[in-house]
Amino acid sequence: HVGPAWYRREIDIPAHWEGGHLELFIERTKPSRLWLDGVPVGGPLLSVYTPHRHALGAPAPGRHVLVLCVDNAFPLPVSGHALSEATQTNWNGLLGRVELRRTPLFGISSARVSLLSDGPSARVEFRLRLPAGVACSGTLVARLEPCLPAADGAGSAATATSVPCALEQAFALADLPADGAGRVELPLPRGFAAWDEYNPALWTLSLRLQGAAGLYPLSDYTSLVTGLRDFRREGSRLLSAGRRVFLRGKHDCCAFPLTGHPPMDEVFWDAYFATCREYGLNHVRFHSWTPPAAAFASADRAGIFLLPELPFWGVLPDPAQPGLEAYLEQEGRGILDTYGNHPSFCLFSLGNETGGRREVLASLVARLRAHDPRPLFASGTNAFFNSPGEQPGDDFWVTMRTRPGPAGRTRASYSHADLPLGHIETEGPGTRHDFSASAEGFTLPLIGHETGQYQFYPDYDEIPLYTGVLEARNLEQYAESLRRAGLWEQRHAFFRAAGALALRCYREDIEAAFRTPGWSGFQLLDLQDYPGQGTALIGVLNVFMRSKGLISPSDWRRFCSDTVPLLRMDRHVWESGSLLSAELQLAHHGPAPLVGAVLEWRLLGSSGAVLLQGTTAPLDLAQGALHSLGHLSLPLPSLTFASRCELELTLSGTGRSNSWPLWVFPPATPVPPPAPGLLVSRILDSDTLAALDAGARVLLFPAHSSLPNSLAPLFMTDFWCYPMFKRVCDQYALPPSPGTMGLLIDPAHPALASFPTGESSDWQWWHLVMAGRPMILDEAPACLRPLVQVIDNFDRNHRLGLVFECRVGRGSLLVCSIDPDRIASRPEGSCLL
């Protein structure tokens, strides 16, 4: 429903509530207005991310009528996923807690807790509601005590340090200034450790007010669960509780298809953050939105660093929205006041891909920081990406590039509307690339923006899971298109093969970030799919945060965790008998330094047998750094056949391991002459057709100039989704992406008997794919299935082939649209030929 929704409720105010202040509290809603007994109560409340508190004053005891209007069509100067139909939907109504509350006319208005590293001590700032011009007497007692785990071990985080007793401090009301604001400081005990991903210790802060203001008695009590966080910037690095932090994050686009809105209960968010932890993540960025209190409370317990954002995706100032800046400042203050005591609220951004005038954004950041300096601030996530540069006043920088060109890239994937493409597509397969050039000359902590965006093929078996307010009509449409193309029976094979390639690309992108000295992290787009904005199936999990069955959490954590063994080598393809040269590294961002760390390495053959093995010398390794542990020079076996090997690294005594595939090929040799009875041709001319009609066997390498009905090569799976970025490319008159999703290979086919391959694209195919042109075979007989098939995107559903065979007349035709001249000098190309 788009437009006003009306609610009416009769209420009975009890006699013992007389003399108190009443408010209607709505935890989350859209612009709302309230009437009490037909009289308007103030103006409309417009916040989209903080509770609406309609002040009713002090109505007399007895029966009253409340009328509430909520209008999700009210014109607000917001953008992004706050009101988007693309993800959370433009829902209407009331979410979370809806309460009629009574508070004393005079009492505790607000409280804020923060950690002072000097000491250390906890600072508690408070504000009281007091009668104007009246002297006060009495005390406010602040008490801080550690939370204890629930009896069943759930619902609260155990502290890692033993705190012997609660901390308490009194404040004399006679010392209050006129505005009712005061503060106390509580010295913390010896052995105190701040809240952190490894120590999500929580405390209960309680404030008890007892006294008088002239003739008015003062009596009030409030409490809240908080944490004492020390999350800060130190030069170009982020620190938490004194440890260097590497943010392993996901982006959340507010996609909740069962409800159409963010869940408001901690049970959901406990499971959500547990899944993040299961996949090695410690950070979540909320794209242009701020989650509810339940999310912050769950993240507090899980030790997850959160980055909420304002409802903003645009430019400041915006002449079309003159009230935008004032609205964003008010919303930002409200977010800080509402959620700022949660220790997981570590970072805050003005919004997604912000632009405009830098000084305007910097001024807004400065005003919000002055209001509450506890989180780290940025003027936007991926701000000014078309003219990148450090923004004055920012504490960190999340960006997809630091400067134009390849030297500024902070991830390995880009759309064809944001050229140049990343290193996976442009530099060939290897494990040496990092983003050091991107960081050179900059001073802020750098975090890769929306890392990945490698598209997975749809899992059409997911359609029945849409049992809530949204239906999977997009997937249904794509499924029907696949049926019309005659490829429906290949959907599961496409899903497996494209998924395997997407995972290889994700792994290389993530490891490149870990290989970058001084890097501060990455934010995936995403660990999960989100079906809005053109259907972005970019997650290893589906939109419901369930595994797609393509990789286990333990295998994902081999390359995405706080401590990751790394291998730097120039290439994945090696010649038989050559010397493999590689550097051994360890990215260590765990809780403590490593003493006597040893890497065990093993070279495994195709059968899993150990060919070579060894260990590095023991080293003491600092926390929060990338460490080099030695160099490998391994003589590879002299083979007369091609083989796949594996180089495995294990951090001794920890179970932390990682491994990389190697392909060992015999050296490239001149292409042998065709066997008797075999005709090799570069064109399907009349002579070739005549030979086929006579029963010949023909191997055809069609010249690319003769293939107008074909596509340009693309090794990676398509970026995000094809239709969305094709529209962007069309808008800017740019060539779109080829839009393909990798290879589906028949490894058992006799043509590939001597070529080591599985059913999906792997790194030994990179140069071969880049030398090919996928042929569009939509008009071929419906039964034709290429033995090296290129998977098309779900929107277009072409039948594509690099290598296929068929009968022509009495003859047999094998077609390979890979240019033999471009691959013959490479060992894998020579082997394929």
Side-chain angles (χ1 to χ4, degrees), residues 444-717:
L444 288 178
L446 277 162
I447 303 159
H449 172 262
E450 296 183 359
T451 293
Q453 309 195 49
Y454 306 103
Q455 188 182 157
F456 290 78
Y457 200 80
D459 178 8
Y460 293 112
D461 294 344
E462 181 185 310
I463 292 175
L465 300 179
Y466 284 77
T467 59
V469 300
L470 297 183
E471 297 177 357
R473 295 179 185 174
N474 52 345
L475 297 181
E476 291 168 358
Q477 174 181 317
Y478 300 138
E480 182 56 32
S481 171
L482 191 66
R483 289 188 181 97
R484 289 195 303 267
L487 301 173
W488 178 248
E489 83 284 354
Q490 290 192 285
R491 65 193 183 280
H492 294 122
F494 289 167
F495 171 74
R496 291 192 310 270
L501 174 58
L503 286 170
R504 292 181 181 109
C505 295
Y506 264 110
R507 173 183 173 173
E508 168 55 25
D509 214 339
I510 290 170
E511 288 188 357
F514 280 122
R515 292 193 295 259
T516 306
W519 208 242
S520 290
F522 57 83
Q523 296 169 350
L524 296 175
L525 185 96
D526 191 341
L527 190 66
Q528 68 182 112
D529 292 341
Y530 62 97
Q533 290 185 274
T535 305
L537 306 180
I538 39 66
V540 64
L541 309 179
N542 64 25
V543 68
F544 307 100
M545 292 286 280
R546 302 180 190 176
S547 172
K548 295 180 178 180
L550 295 169
I551 188 172
S552 68
S554 58
D555 282 344
W556 178 273
R557 289 196 306 272
R558 284 163 65 89
F559 57 85
C560 182
S561 187
D562 55 2
T563 300
V564 177
L566 298 168
L567 181 75
R568 283 187 186 254
M569 60 181 178
D570 293 328
R571 56 192 181 275
H572 284 275
V573 172
W574 298 81
E575 288 190 0
S576 171
S578 65
L579 193 67
L580 184 150
S581 178
E583 297 165 30
L584 308 181
Q585 293 187 319
L586 186 74
H588 176 54
H589 300 91
L594 298 175
V595 178
V598 171
L599 272 184
E600 304 167 3
W601 60 266
R602 300 193 304 168
L603 181 64
L604 307 175
S606 58
S607 65
V610 178
L611 304 180
L612 295 166
Q613 62 183 333
T615 62
T616 63
L619 291 173
D620 295 341
L621 306 178
Q623 187 277 338
L626 175 68
H627 299 280
S628 293
L629 278 77
H631 186 87
L632 280 184
S633 294
L634 301 182
L636 294 172
S638 296
L639 303 174
T640 58
F641 57 90
S643 179
R644 183 189 186 279
C645 300
E646 192 95 4
L647 186 57
E648 181 183 76
L649 299 181
T650 301
L651 183 60
S652 183
T654 68
R656 303 292 183 96
S657 66
N658 205 354
S659 61
W660 296 263
L662 312 171
W663 287 268
V664 181
F665 287 92
T669 58
V671 179
L678 175 65
L679 172 65
V680 179
S681 177
R682 297 301 301 270
I683 187 170
L684 195 63
D685 56 11
S686 57
D687 291 341
T688 306
L689 287 169
L692 284 166
D693 193 53
R697 294 184 299 126
V698 175
L699 174 57
L700 177 67
F701 292 101
H704 289 176
S705 59
S706 69
L707 296 176
N709 204 25
S710 63
L711 300 174
L714 182 72
F715 179 78
M716 305 185 308
T717 59

Side-chain angles (χ1 to χ4, degrees), residues 729-803:
C729 288
D730 290 345
Q731 179 183 350
Y732 293 104
L734 296 170
S737 165
T740 52
M741 304 276 291
L743 304 180
L744 175 63
I745 305 161
D746 179 3
H749 194 281
L752 301 177
S754 299
F755 189 84
T757 184
E759 75 164 0
S760 63
S761 302
D762 214 331
W763 302 114
Q764 86 278 27
W765 280 97
W766 191 93
H767 288 281
L768 311 180
V769 166
M770 301 309 285
R773 282 196 70 88
M775 298 176 63
I776 300 175
L777 304 172
D778 296 347
E779 302 304 318
C783 61
L784 179 65
R785 292 292 180 265
L787 64 110
V788 180
Q789 185 170 355
V790 178
I791 304 168
D792 200 14
N793 66 78
F794 53 74
D795 185 67
R796 194 171 53 192
N797 286 319
H798 283 317
R799 186 164 25 140
L800 302 170
L802 275 184
V803 184

